[in-house]
């Protein structure tokens, strides 16, 4: 399979016939010319990182980048739009995915409340079916 240096994939909401995107997942191989501040920090903190994964377009406060240690597995899971496979690699990567439903949902369908402890701390709430969900990766 083709192993691109950078991949940007929209994960659709899987709630009934919802037309929205749950989130955008972007996987970048280390060594890209374009490196943003988040990625720069990741590569300094994790010298062995093969790349980064970035989630955008879900909820406020959930735009974040993480290090990728297995670039091939990550790019394959993302290009297959397989949130379960990404969740299996790292549970924190797909905050828009409910493992008990095995579905991704957009922000509109989650019942999530941001909790603050001086600054944003975490989200807690449930998926549309009622499974408890906490998003905490700061
Ligand atoms: Zn669920
Ligand atoms: Zn939706």
């Amino acid at each position: 399979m083709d192993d691109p240096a950078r991949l940007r994939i929209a994960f659709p909401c899987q709630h009934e016939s919802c037309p929205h995107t749950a989130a955008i997942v972007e996987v970048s191989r280390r060594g890209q010319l374009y490196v943003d501040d988040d990625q720069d920090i990741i590569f300094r903190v994790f010298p062995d990182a093969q790349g980064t994964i970035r989630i955008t377009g879900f909820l406020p406060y959930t735009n974040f980048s993480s290090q990728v240690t297995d670039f091939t597995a990550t790019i394959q899971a993302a290009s297959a739009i397989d949130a379960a496979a990404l969740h299996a690699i790292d549970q924190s990567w797909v905050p828009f995915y409910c493992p008990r439903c095995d579905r991704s949902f957009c922000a509109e369908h989650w019942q999530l409340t941001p909790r603050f402890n001086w600054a944003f701390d975490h989200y807690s709430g449930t998926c549309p079916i009622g499974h408890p969900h906490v998003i905490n990766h700061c």
Side-chain angles (χ1 to χ4, degrees):
M1 175 184 145
D2 182 25
D3 199 16
R6 189 187 196 97
L7 189 70
R8 203 165 181 274
I9 301 269
F11 278 61
C13 176
Q14 295 174 298
H15 189 263
E16 289 162 15
S17 55
C18 178
H20 296 129
T21 295
I24 307 285
V25 174
E26 192 177 302
V27 184
S28 306
R29 185 198 293 279
R30 183 173 196 140
Q32 284 299 286
L33 285 177
Y34 170 77
V35 175
D36 69 17
D37 287 350
D38 276 359
Q39 291 171 322
D40 192 45
I41 290 165
I42 285 168
F43 291 141
R44 279 185 213 189
V45 176
F46 303 104
D48 296 333
Q50 293 182 357
T52 58
I53 184 166
R54 187 158 75 119
I55 308 300
T56 55
F58 181 44
L59 291 160
Y61 315 113
T62 62
N63 292 347
F64 68 100
S65 295
S66 305
Q67 66 150 335
V68 167
T69 52
D70 185 341
F71 188 82
T72 302
T74 305
I75 210 98
Q76 282 177 1
S79 57
I81 317 183
D82 190 342
L86 289 175
H87 186 264
I89 298 171
D90 190 316
Q91 289 189 15
S92 71
W93 284 355
V94 282
F96 52 86
Y97 169 74
C98 176
R100 288 173 65 187
C101 291
D102 191 22
R103 282 169 188 232
S104 302
F105 301 113
C106 71
E108 205 174 298
H109 286 117
W110 284 103
Q111 305 292 320
L112 292 169
T113 309
R115 308 287 175 186
F116 294 88
N117 181 5
W118 295 102
F120 168 72
D121 193 63
H122 67 278
Y123 279 96
S124 65
T126 66
C127 82
I129 315 302
H131 302 132
H133 196 63
V134 173
I135 301 171
N136 186 0
H137 45 66
C138 294

